[in-house]
PDB file of all heavy atoms in Angstrom:
ATOM      1  N   PRO Y  20     103.748  17.307  82.559  1.00 72.00           N
ATOM      2  CA  PRO Y  20     104.305  16.322  81.632  1.00 72.00           C
ATOM      3  C   PRO Y  20     105.414  16.873  80.725  1.00 72.00           C
ATOM      4  O   PRO Y  20     106.405  16.211  80.494  1.00 72.00           O
ATOM      5  CB  PRO Y  20     103.094  15.874  80.815  1.00 72.00           C
ATOM      6  CG  PRO Y  20     101.926  16.209  81.663  1.00 72.00           C
ATOM      7  CD  PRO Y  20     102.302  17.424  82.428  1.00 72.00           C
ATOM      8  N   ASP Y  21     105.260  18.089  80.294  1.00 87.00           N
ATOM      9  CA  ASP Y  21     106.262  18.727  79.445  1.00 87.00           C
ATOM     10  C   ASP Y  21     107.550  18.947  80.248  1.00 87.00           C
ATOM     11  O   ASP Y  21     108.645  18.752  79.727  1.00 87.00           O
ATOM     12  CB  ASP Y  21     105.792  20.068  78.890  1.00 87.00           C
ATOM     13  CG  ASP Y  21     104.708  19.908  77.837  1.00 87.00           C
ATOM     14  OD1 ASP Y  21     104.546  18.781  77.309  1.00 87.00           O
ATOM     15  OD2 ASP Y  21     104.033  20.900  77.549  1.00 87.00           O
ATOM     16  N   ALA Y  22     107.406  19.359  81.506  1.00 86.00           N
ATOM     17  CA  ALA Y  22     108.597  19.554  82.346  1.00 86.00           C
ATOM     18  C   ALA Y  22     109.315  18.242  82.584  1.00 86.00           C
ATOM     19  O   ALA Y  22     110.532  18.192  82.598  1.00 86.00           O
ATOM     20  CB  ALA Y  22     108.176  20.214  83.664  1.00 86.00           C
ATOM     21  N   ALA Y  23     108.556  17.153  82.778  1.00 89.00           N
ATOM     22  CA  ALA Y  23     109.160  15.838  82.995  1.00 89.00           C
ATOM     23  C   ALA Y  23     109.928  15.419  81.726  1.00 89.00           C
ATOM     24  O   ALA Y  23     111.043  14.916  81.816  1.00 89.00           O
ATOM     25  CB  ALA Y  23     108.107  14.797  83.342  1.00 89.00           C
ATOM     26  N   ASP Y  24     109.311  15.624  80.552  1.00 92.00           N
ATOM     27  CA  ASP Y  24     109.972  15.258  79.302  1.00 92.00           C
ATOM     28  C   ASP Y  24     111.226  16.117  79.122  1.00 92.00           C
ATOM     29  O   ASP Y  24     112.284  15.610  78.711  1.00 92.00           O
ATOM     30  CB  ASP Y  24     109.052  15.456  78.111  1.00 92.00           C
ATOM     31  CG  ASP Y  24     108.008  14.371  78.004  1.00 92.00           C
ATOM     32  OD1 ASP Y  24     108.144  13.323  78.650  1.00 92.00           O
ATOM     33  OD2 ASP Y  24     107.029  14.594  77.268  1.00 92.00           O
ATOM     34  N   LEU Y  25     111.127  17.421  79.392  1.00 93.00           N
ATOM     35  CA  LEU Y  25     112.248  18.306  79.223  1.00 93.00           C
ATOM     36  C   LEU Y  25     113.353  17.952  80.224  1.00 93.00           C
ATOM     37  O   LEU Y  25     114.521  17.981  79.835  1.00 93.00           O
ATOM     38  CB  LEU Y  25     111.806  19.783  79.406  1.00 93.00           C
ATOM     39  CG  LEU Y  25     112.800  20.837  79.115  1.00 93.00           C
ATOM     40  CD1 LEU Y  25     113.381  20.695  77.708  1.00 93.00           C
ATOM     41  CD2 LEU Y  25     112.203  22.217  79.282  1.00 93.00           C
ATOM     42  N   LEU Y  26     112.986  17.575  81.453  1.00 94.00           N
ATOM     43  CA  LEU Y  26     113.995  17.138  82.413  1.00 94.00           C
ATOM     44  C   LEU Y  26     114.751  15.920  81.920  1.00 94.00           C
ATOM     45  O   LEU Y  26     115.973  15.877  81.970  1.00 94.00           O
ATOM     46  CB  LEU Y  26     113.322  16.863  83.757  1.00 94.00           C
ATOM     47  CG  LEU Y  26     114.244  16.301  84.848  1.00 94.00           C
ATOM     48  CD1 LEU Y  26     115.384  17.287  85.192  1.00 94.00           C
ATOM     49  CD2 LEU Y  26     113.415  15.950  86.104  1.00 94.00           C
ATOM     50  N   GLU Y  27     114.019  14.955  81.373  1.00 94.00           N
ATOM     51  CA  GLU Y  27     114.652  13.782  80.829  1.00 94.00           C
ATOM     52  C   GLU Y  27     115.558  14.104  79.654  1.00 94.00           C
ATOM     53  O   GLU Y  27     116.698  13.599  79.572  1.00 94.00           O
ATOM     54  CB  GLU Y  27     113.609  12.729  80.377  1.00 94.00           C
ATOM     55  CG  GLU Y  27     114.181  11.438  79.988  1.00 94.00           C
ATOM     56  CD  GLU Y  27     113.146  10.385  79.695  1.00 94.00           C
ATOM     57  OE1 GLU Y  27     111.946  10.614  79.935  1.00 94.00           O
ATOM     58  OE2 GLU Y  27     113.558   9.316  79.236  1.00 94.00           O
ATOM     59  N   LYS Y  28     115.115  14.991  78.775  1.00 95.00           N
ATOM     60  CA  LYS Y  28     115.953  15.380  77.636  1.00 95.00           C
ATOM     61  C   LYS Y  28     117.209  16.103  78.080  1.00 95.00           C
ATOM     62  O   LYS Y  28     118.306  15.807  77.576  1.00 95.00           O
ATOM     63  CB  LYS Y  28     115.140  16.223  76.678  1.00 95.00           C
ATOM     64  CG  LYS Y  28     114.072  15.457  75.952  1.00 95.00           C
ATOM     65  CD  LYS Y  28     113.209  16.370  75.090  1.00 95.00           C
ATOM     66  CE  LYS Y  28     112.099  15.553  74.442  1.00 95.00           C
ATOM     67  NZ  LYS Y  28     111.184  16.415  73.656  1.00 95.00           N
ATOM     68  N   LYS Y  29     117.058  17.092  78.955  1.00 95.00           N
ATOM     69  CA  LYS Y  29     118.193  17.871  79.428  1.00 95.00           C
ATOM     70  C   LYS Y  29     119.192  16.990  80.163  1.00 95.00           C
ATOM     71  O   LYS Y  29     120.409  17.138  79.969  1.00 95.00           O
ATOM     72  CB  LYS Y  29     117.759  19.015  80.320  1.00 95.00           C
ATOM     73  CG  LYS Y  29     116.941  20.094  79.645  1.00 95.00           C
ATOM     74  CD  LYS Y  29     117.795  21.001  78.869  1.00 95.00           C
ATOM     75  CE  LYS Y  29     116.950  22.126  78.251  1.00 95.00           C
ATOM     76  NZ  LYS Y  29     117.764  23.045  77.478  1.00 95.00           N
ATOM     77  N   SER Y  30     118.727  16.085  80.975  1.00 96.00           N
ATOM     78  CA  SER Y  30     119.664  15.214  81.700  1.00 96.00           C
ATOM     79  C   SER Y  30     120.352  14.245  80.721  1.00 96.00           C
ATOM     80  O   SER Y  30     121.561  13.952  80.934  1.00 96.00           O
ATOM     81  CB  SER Y  30     118.940  14.443  82.853  1.00 96.00           C
ATOM     82  OG  SER Y  30     117.942  13.606  82.345  1.00 96.00           O
ATOM     83  N   SER Y  31     119.683  13.834  79.695  1.00 95.00           N
ATOM     84  CA  SER Y  31     120.330  12.971  78.685  1.00 95.00           C
ATOM     85  C   SER Y  31     121.363  13.725  77.887  1.00 95.00           C
ATOM     86  O   SER Y  31     122.450  13.226  77.620  1.00 95.00           O
ATOM     87  CB  SER Y  31     119.287  12.405  77.675  1.00 95.00           C
ATOM     88  OG  SER Y  31     118.411  11.518  78.336  1.00 95.00           O
ATOM     89  N   GLN Y  32     121.056  14.991  77.581  1.00 95.00           N
ATOM     90  CA  GLN Y  32     122.066  15.845  76.907  1.00 95.00           C
ATOM     91  C   GLN Y  32     123.270  16.029  77.764  1.00 95.00           C
ATOM     92  O   GLN Y  32     124.401  15.932  77.303  1.00 95.00           O
ATOM     93  CB  GLN Y  32     121.445  17.200  76.586  1.00 95.00           C
ATOM     94  CG  GLN Y  32     120.438  17.192  75.484  1.00 95.00           C
ATOM     95  CD  GLN Y  32     119.772  18.537  75.272  1.00 95.00           C
ATOM     96  OE1 GLN Y  32     119.680  19.344  76.163  1.00 95.00           O
ATOM     97  NE2 GLN Y  32     119.313  18.771  74.055  1.00 95.00           N
ATOM     98  N   LEU Y  33     123.049  16.303  79.065  1.00 95.00           N
ATOM     99  CA  LEU Y  33     124.168  16.509  79.966  1.00 95.00           C
ATOM    100  C   LEU Y  33     125.035  15.250  80.118  1.00 95.00           C
ATOM    101  O   LEU Y  33     126.245  15.297  80.044  1.00 95.00           O
ATOM    102  CB  LEU Y  33     123.660  16.938  81.340  1.00 95.00           C
ATOM    103  CG  LEU Y  33     124.691  17.180  82.419  1.00 95.00           C
ATOM    104  CD1 LEU Y  33     125.691  18.251  81.992  1.00 95.00           C
ATOM    105  CD2 LEU Y  33     124.014  17.572  83.739  1.00 95.00           C
ATOM    106  N   GLN Y  34     124.376  14.104  80.203  1.00 94.00           N
ATOM    107  CA  GLN Y  34     125.092  12.850  80.270  1.00 94.00           C
ATOM    108  C   GLN Y  34     125.928  12.628  79.034  1.00 94.00           C
ATOM    109  O   GLN Y  34     127.122  12.220  79.107  1.00 94.00           O
ATOM    110  CB  GLN Y  34     124.124  11.680  80.491  1.00 94.00           C
ATOM    111  CG  GLN Y  34     124.788  10.341  80.627  1.00 94.00           C
ATOM    112  CD  GLN Y  34     123.798   9.225  80.847  1.00 94.00           C
ATOM    113  OE1 GLN Y  34     122.590   9.368  80.578  1.00 94.00           O
ATOM    114  NE2 GLN Y  34     124.257   8.097  81.297  1.00 94.00           N
ATOM    115  N   SER Y  35     125.346  12.863  77.841  1.00 92.00           N
ATOM    116  CA  SER Y  35     126.093  12.671  76.590  1.00 92.00           C
ATOM    117  C   SER Y  35     127.278  13.640  76.510  1.00 92.00           C
ATOM    118  O   SER Y  35     128.355  13.248  76.091  1.00 92.00           O
ATOM    119  CB  SER Y  35     125.160  12.923  75.407  1.00 92.00           C
ATOM    120  OG  SER Y  35     124.175  11.896  75.358  1.00 92.00           O
ATOM    121  N   LEU Y  36     127.069  14.906  76.876  1.00 92.00           N
ATOM    122  CA  LEU Y  36     128.118  15.879  76.830  1.00 92.00           C
ATOM    123  C   LEU Y  36     129.261  15.478  77.766  1.00 92.00           C
ATOM    124  O   LEU Y  36     130.443  15.499  77.368  1.00 92.00           O
ATOM    125  CB  LEU Y  36     127.552  17.227  77.253  1.00 92.00           C
ATOM    126  CG  LEU Y  36     128.561  18.390  77.308  1.00 92.00           C
ATOM    127  CD1 LEU Y  36     129.097  18.702  75.906  1.00 92.00           C
ATOM    128  CD2 LEU Y  36     127.885  19.626  77.876  1.00 92.00           C
ATOM    129  N   LEU Y  37     128.940  15.084  78.963  1.00 92.00           N
ATOM    130  CA  LEU Y  37     129.996  14.747  79.920  1.00 92.00           C
ATOM    131  C   LEU Y  37     130.696  13.428  79.572  1.00 92.00           C
ATOM    132  O   LEU Y  37     131.863  13.252  79.911  1.00 92.00           O
ATOM    133  CB  LEU Y  37     129.425  14.678  81.325  1.00 92.00           C
ATOM    134  CG  LEU Y  37     129.005  16.040  81.901  1.00 92.00           C
ATOM    135  CD1 LEU Y  37     128.345  15.860  83.286  1.00 92.00           C
ATOM    136  CD2 LEU Y  37     130.171  17.004  81.963  1.00 92.00           C
ATOM    137  N   SER Y  38     130.020  12.561  78.818  1.00 91.00           N
ATOM    138  CA  SER Y  38     130.659  11.304  78.456  1.00 91.00           C
ATOM    139  C   SER Y  38     131.816  11.559  77.443  1.00 91.00           C
ATOM    140  O   SER Y  38     132.676  10.709  77.301  1.00 91.00           O
ATOM    141  CB  SER Y  38     129.657  10.332  77.821  1.00 91.00           C
ATOM    142  OG  SER Y  38     129.226  10.771  76.554  1.00 91.00           O
ATOM    143  N   CYS Y  39     131.853  12.723  76.845  1.00 88.00           N
ATOM    144  CA  CYS Y  39     132.951  13.098  75.971  1.00 88.00           C
ATOM    145  C   CYS Y  39     134.173  13.616  76.739  1.00 88.00           C
ATOM    146  O   CYS Y  39     135.205  13.894  76.134  1.00 88.00           O
ATOM    147  CB  CYS Y  39     132.488  14.209  75.014  1.00 88.00           C
ATOM    148  SG  CYS Y  39     131.202  13.746  73.901  1.00 88.00           S
ATOM    149  N   CYS Y  40     134.074  13.729  78.032  1.00 87.00           N
ATOM    150  CA  CYS Y  40     135.106  14.349  78.837  1.00 87.00           C
ATOM    151  C   CYS Y  40     135.922  13.381  79.691  1.00 87.00           C
ATOM    152  O   CYS Y  40     136.832  13.819  80.383  1.00 87.00           O
ATOM    153  CB  CYS Y  40     134.484  15.419  79.746  1.00 87.00           C
ATOM    154  SG  CYS Y  40     133.530  16.650  78.874  1.00 87.00           S
ATOM    155  N   TYR Y  41     135.633  12.113  79.617  1.00 86.00           N
ATOM    156  CA  TYR Y  41     136.389  11.168  80.457  1.00 86.00           C
ATOM    157  C   TYR Y  41     136.440   9.816  79.750  1.00 86.00           C
ATOM    158  O   TYR Y  41     135.782   9.595  78.732  1.00 86.00           O
ATOM    159  CB  TYR Y  41     135.763  11.018  81.860  1.00 86.00           C
ATOM    160  CG  TYR Y  41     134.418  10.337  81.865  1.00 86.00           C
ATOM    161  CD1 TYR Y  41     134.333   8.963  82.075  1.00 86.00           C
ATOM    162  CD2 TYR Y  41     133.243  11.043  81.614  1.00 86.00           C
ATOM    163  CE1 TYR Y  41     133.097   8.328  82.061  1.00 86.00           C
ATOM    164  CE2 TYR Y  41     132.044  10.397  81.635  1.00 86.00           C
ATOM    165  CZ  TYR Y  41     131.953   9.054  81.851  1.00 86.00           C
ATOM    166  OH  TYR Y  41     130.735   8.431  81.837  1.00 86.00           O
ATOM    167  N   GLY Y  42     137.212   8.922  80.306  1.00 84.00           N
ATOM    168  CA  GLY Y  42     137.329   7.554  79.780  1.00 84.00           C
ATOM    169  C   GLY Y  42     137.956   7.547  78.413  1.00 84.00           C
ATOM    170  O   GLY Y  42     138.938   8.250  78.156  1.00 84.00           O
TER     171      GLY Y  42
END
Side-chain angles (χ1 to χ4, degrees):
D21 290 343
D24 286 345
L25 187 55
L26 176 60
E27 187 174 354
K28 289 175 184 178
K29 294 282 184 180
S30 62
S31 294
Q32 288 175 334
L33 180 58
Q34 183 180 16
S35 295
L36 178 65
L37 291 176
S38 71
C39 296
C40 303
Y41 68 94

